[in-house]
Amino acid sequence: MKTEIRCELIINKAMRSAMEHDNPDEQIQEFIRFLGNHIGSDRIYIFEDDLVGRVTNNTYEWCKDGIDPQINVLQQVDMDIIEWWYDTFDRDENVIIRNVEDIKEQYPMTYETLAPQKIECVAVSALRYHGQISGFFGVDNPRDTDMEELSLFLDMIGTFLVSLLKLRNSFDKSNQEASLNSYSALAQIYLSMHLVNVQSGRFQMIKTTPHIEQQISAEGGDDFAVQIRNVMEVLANEKYAQSVRKFTDISTLEDRMCGKCTIAHEYLGNVSGWCRERFIKVDEDEDGHLLHVLYAVEVIDEEKRRENRLLYLSEMDLMTGIRNRGSGERKIKETIAQNIPGMFVILDCDKFKSINDTYGHAVGDEVIIAVAKTLQGICGEKDTLLRLGGDEFAMYIPGMLDDVHGQQLADEVIGRMQDIRIPELGGRVIHVSMGAAFHRKDDLDFERLYRQADSAMYQSKKIVGSSIVFYK
């Protein structure tokens, strides 16, 4: 009885000291510090179990002066190493090891874990509460050699530690709910939003949709990597599957987000059309390591359509629907930069000014549109066709490298031009002058190629009727 009263007095003092702190983590830390100083041990610690992963983690630790902390080392400890401790807890008993050397033969894995920590003797007691709390706390190298009395003391301490851990969990849950509520307003602009723990890979749902929820598997639980793979295998277009997997890879996220508040990636979805997925940084630890992020997805289909339309308008000649000069020249320069040889042709309508002067600009526009349509019908998918301006056009034909094939193309162009019929022109035939130059060497740039074809076209215009001149 005297022992119990003495233990209660010590625990009460420890609790009063702990309650001087407002934060639950600080309260638990102060509680074990007070007890550690009283017991005179080298170290007091708390481990909390991850029953799904079958590992246990050192979450709180107090060490006396001169003792090396172990909390950073003792994470993700395989529960099988100390399985016999859990068997002992199941019998409502504490683990008492009076001499670590005594377990060397019977429990070698436990011995190999304890011995490097310079533990000579240890007393360990379970921490359990209705499946919500599972773990243990221990005392290394206690000064008091009466291990039976220490075991009783641990039983009494355990009740208070469970209470403190319950308070901490309630506090964390309250803060978490407050955070999730604060994110709810932000989530309104997104299709879905999840809070992801970068270190553990676990996530919490803030907002989702039925077609996303249908892909969530019960087996995957709250594992972000598993569930995002399940969802995107169905909802992301196959063409974007690999880039989506790469973007949502949590293992590389910290490096990719270094110095950034957010990163984003666009992909085509099978249900919602174009989407933008985004990681948003929430917090870091004191060492600058990423702790939590928001993973959000928004539908940008309408935005993407407008963007593509604007891109189309910026690159296309509005009158003819083929590439404009800026877009076409960029495309040819890219082709040349890849060292893809071919033939570059500049084409000019003969006596086009007289058509405008005689029949009006509206008819002149019809001629330009008809010429562009004719050239479109001749050019292949890999060819580049553009309007340079006015009645001038240009083509780059990859793989065409000699006069013979160049002449065959020119004959086809001339033949189809003769077939153009515009009522206002009566029987007038559209004649064109063409100048061609070949890109065969990787040291030839576009500007030089253009000058060569332009020079050849100048010579072609001196010939009556449609013709082509190859630069020599």
Side-chain angles (χ1 to χ4, degrees):
M1 179 66 78
K2 289 182 180 179
T3 299
E4 292 183 14
I5 292 173
R6 187 168 69 252
C7 290
E8 287 179 359
L9 289 172
I10 295 167
I11 292 172
N12 286 336
K13 288 181 181 179
M15 284 297 291
R16 283 199 297 271
S17 181
M19 290 302 106
E20 291 179 4
H21 298 268
D22 296 327
N23 185 291
D25 287 324
E26 294 175 356
Q27 291 172 356
I28 295 170
Q29 196 64 44
E30 173 59 21
F31 186 71
I32 64 174
R33 184 204 66 81
F34 190 98
L35 295 172
N37 281 328
H38 174 78
I39 296 171
S41 61
D42 284 354
R43 182 169 170 261
I44 291 185
Y45 42 82
I46 297 174
F47 275 73
E48 295 180 71
D49 301 334
D50 176 356
L51 298 177
V52 176
R54 284 287 297 169
V55 294
T56 188
N57 298 292
N58 191 174
T59 52
Y60 299 92
E61 176 190 65
W62 168 86
C63 298
K64 78 175 185 181
D65 293 342
I67 300 299
D68 293 332
Q70 300 294 317
I71 190 167
N72 292 329
V73 178
L74 297 174
Q75 300 298 326
Q76 298 286 297
V77 178
D78 192 335
M79 291 170 66
D80 290 340
I81 292 174
I82 49 174
E83 185 175 10
W84 65 280
W85 287 14
Y86 292 97
D87 293 338
T88 304
F89 298 153
D90 289 340
R91 298 193 299 269
D92 291 327
E93 298 175 9
N94 294 330
V95 174
I96 304 295
I97 304 175
R98 291 178 171 81
N99 188 335
V100 170
E101 294 298 322
D102 294 341
I103 67 167
K104 187 174 183 179
E105 298 298 328
Q106 188 176 4
Y107 305 111
M109 288 194 300
T110 308
Y111 174 82
E112 289 168 7
T113 302
L114 300 179
Q117 301 176 50
K118 299 179 181 179
I119 297 173
E120 298 173 2
C121 61
V122 61
V124 187
S125 183
L127 293 172
R128 291 180 174 176
Y129 177 74
H130 298 316
Q132 299 173 25
I133 296 172
S134 176
F136 56 87
F137 71 102
V139 178
D140 290 348
N141 302 331
R143 180 181 57 204
D144 190 348
T145 55
D146 187 346
M147 300 298 273
E148 299 303 326
E149 183 175 322
L150 178 59
S151 181
L152 173 63
F153 192 31
L154 295 183
D155 286 337
M156 298 174 71
I157 293 171
T159 302
F160 287 88
L161 279 178
V162 166
S163 297
L164 288 172
L165 289 170
K166 285 168 60 181
L167 285 172
R168 180 208 60 187
N169 290 349
S170 296
F171 181 82
D172 290 347
K173 183 179 180 182
S174 176
N175 283 344
Q176 195 173 66
E177 288 175 350
S179 295
L180 293 177
N181 287 336
S182 69
Y183 297 140
S184 295
L186 178 63
Q188 297 309 307
I189 65 173
Y190 291 99
L191 180 71
S192 66
M193 179 180 283
H194 296 80
L195 179 65
V196 184
N197 185 317
V198 179
Q199 303 303 318
S200 69
R202 307 295 179 185
F203 76 93
Q204 288 178 279
M205 188 271 291
I206 298 172
K207 180 184 179 182
T208 190
T209 63
H211 62 271
I212 291 176
E213 206 160 16
Q214 285 173 8
Q215 311 311 322
I216 300 291
S217 70
E219 296 79 10
D222 60 354
D223 188 316
F224 180 77
V226 171
Q227 299 296 12
I228 195 67
R229 184 173 65 248
N230 292 338
V231 170
M232 290 305 185
E233 278 183 355
V234 175
L235 299 185
N237 183 279
E238 185 178 357
K239 181 180 177 182
Y240 293 85
Q242 185 175 350
S243 64
V244 167
R245 282 196 296 271
K246 186 175 180 180
F247 181 79
T248 55
D249 184 358
I250 289 293
S251 66
T252 64
L253 186 58
E254 187 165 0
D255 289 337
R256 288 185 286 134
M257 289 199 71
C258 183
K260 301 174 184 175
C261 292
T262 182
I263 58 174
H265 171 253
E266 295 177 3
Y267 67 92
L268 183 61
N270 292 325
V271 175
S272 304
W274 280 100
C275 296
R276 181 184 292 123
E277 54 184 347
R278 183 186 298 277
F279 283 114
I280 305 168
K281 182 171 70 175
V282 173
D283 58 6
E284 300 175 334
D285 64 15
E286 57 186 15
D287 296 321
H289 295 301
L290 195 60
L291 292 179
H292 297 89
V293 293
L294 292 172
Y295 173 72
V297 177
E298 60 182 313
V299 176
I300 58 166
D301 202 56
E302 188 62 34
E303 175 187 333
K304 197 73 175 177
R305 290 179 191 277
R306 287 197 302 270
E307 181 183 305
N308 289 340
R309 177 63 178 167
L310 289 173
L311 181 63
Y312 172 82
L313 292 175
S314 71
E315 292 187 342
M316 296 298 145
D317 176 67
L318 297 182
M319 179 186 291
T320 62
I322 65 175
R323 288 182 181 270
N324 58 28
R325 182 166 193 156
S327 168
E329 289 189 354
R330 275 196 305 275
K331 178 65 175 175
I332 296 173
K333 287 177 182 178
E334 289 171 5
T335 305
I336 291 174
Q338 295 171 28
N339 199 28
I340 299 175
M343 182 176 73
F344 179 64
V345 180
I346 296 178
L347 179 148
D348 179 89
C349 294
D350 293 344
K351 299 180 181 179
F352 180 73
K353 185 177 182 301
S354 70
I355 294 177
N356 276 337
D357 292 343
T358 304
Y359 303 101
H361 287 279
V363 175
D365 290 347
E366 283 189 58
V367 171
I368 291 173
I369 292 169
V371 169
K373 187 175 180 180
T374 299
L375 294 175
Q376 271 185 306
I378 295 171
C379 288
E381 187 177 332
K382 295 182 179 179
D383 303 335
T384 302
L385 171 66
L386 62 143
R387 183 186 178 197
L388 292 171
D391 60 316
E392 276 195 324
F393 298 84
M395 298 179 287
Y396 188 79
I397 316 297
M400 191 166 286
L401 301 175
D402 56 68
D403 295 10
V404 174
H405 291 93
Q407 187 64 56
Q408 289 175 356
L409 176 72
D411 291 343
E412 184 178 2
V413 170
I414 292 168
R416 292 203 187 188
M417 291 296 170
Q418 291 176 348
D419 292 336
I420 291 176
R421 292 291 178 265
I422 295 175
E424 291 83 354
L425 293 181
R428 182 167 177 170
V429 175
I430 305 298
H431 291 288
V432 293
S433 296
M434 292 174 278
F438 296 101
H439 164 59
R440 300 189 182 99
K441 300 179 180 178
D442 56 9
D443 61 347
L444 182 65
D445 59 26
F446 173 74
E447 285 71 21
R448 188 176 169 190
L449 187 68
Y450 186 96
R451 288 195 299 271
Q452 291 177 354
D454 191 51
S455 173
M457 189 195 70
Y458 181 75
Q459 297 300 321
S460 176
K461 289 189 76 68
K462 295 179 182 179
I463 301 171
V464 177
S466 296
S467 63
I468 185 170
V469 171
F470 298 98
Y471 180 84
K472 302 295 184 182

